[in-house]
Amino acid sequence: MGVSPSPRPGDPAPDFTLPSTAGSDVTLSSFQGRSNVLLAFFPLAFTGVCTAELCDFSLEFDAFANVEATVFGISVDSVPTLNAFKKQHDITIDLLSDFKRRVSRQYGTLLEEPFFSARAYFMVDKQGILRWAHVEHELGHKRDNAELLAELRKLG
């Protein structure tokens, strides 16, 4: 699916720094010792399934916080586009811009032909180890929050 293989559960999560809708850069390794992290790669802002997925994360923001998880949506959209998307749909999680597609390549999710990421989920524990991963085979599908929360609960 991607240029390189996705990291596998048990591997250290590939570190990165990306600009965010919070106004500052986010570095994955800065969450070590503080929070589990759910990286939710999505194809493009303002598309149906992506909008539903990110709105669902916002609706269940507290449920993710209760399992000590920080959720980031990641797409190849620019920060201004992500800010407009976040504002229009009242999205409460921070969105990260992988405009240069480096992180999508690092995680093996970049679809070269349309030049955006597949929908994919990577759970990173507080030690920075990847514990669960899922890449959707069809763009129109997404994981249920209940499934994601159950996996996060396993991280403790």
Side-chain angles (χ1 to χ4, degrees):
M1 176 167 289
V3 170
S4 60
S6 295
R8 302 169 91 113
D11 291 346
D15 198 20
F16 61 82
T17 300
L18 287 174
S20 85
T21 54
S24 58
D25 290 351
V26 169
T27 300
L28 179 61
S29 60
S30 71
F31 291 86
Q32 286 185 18
R34 296 188 304 131
S35 178
N36 299 309
V37 178
L38 171 59
L39 304 175
F41 288 82
F42 64 99
L44 295 167
F46 298 105
T47 57
V49 175
C50 298
T51 300
E53 173 184 36
L54 293 162
C55 288
D56 285 351
F57 286 138
S58 295
L59 288 172
E60 297 199 56
F61 186 85
D62 290 341
F64 285 97
N66 287 340
V67 293
E68 298 182 37
T70 303
V71 180
F72 291 109
I74 302 175
S75 81
V76 300
D77 295 293
S78 68
V79 171
T81 298
L82 291 172
N83 275 324
F85 178 55
K86 185 174 175 170
K87 182 178 180 182
Q88 181 175 329
H89 295 287
D90 296 319
I91 295 169
T92 56
I93 65 167
D94 287 325
L95 305 178
L96 308 181
S97 172
D98 185 26
F99 193 73
K100 295 182 179 177
R101 280 101 171 141
R102 285 188 196 129
V103 176
S104 296
R105 282 191 176 104
Q106 218 177 352
Y107 278 78
T109 65
L110 187 68
L111 302 172
E112 290 290 346
E113 190 58 37
F115 210 44
F116 55 70
S117 177
R119 187 174 323 285
Y121 307 87
F122 295 88
M123 290 183 189
V124 181
D125 70 13
K126 292 178 185 175
Q127 289 72 47
I129 304 299
L130 180 66
R131 294 297 175 194
W132 186 84
H134 178 82
V135 178
E136 295 290 350
H137 294 289
E138 295 181 25
L139 293 178
H141 294 145
K142 70 180 187 71
R143 296 296 90 197
D144 241 0
N145 279 356
E147 176 185 358
L148 298 172
L149 288 162
E151 292 297 331
L152 283 162
R153 281 187 198 95
K154 293 177 186 177
L155 301 182

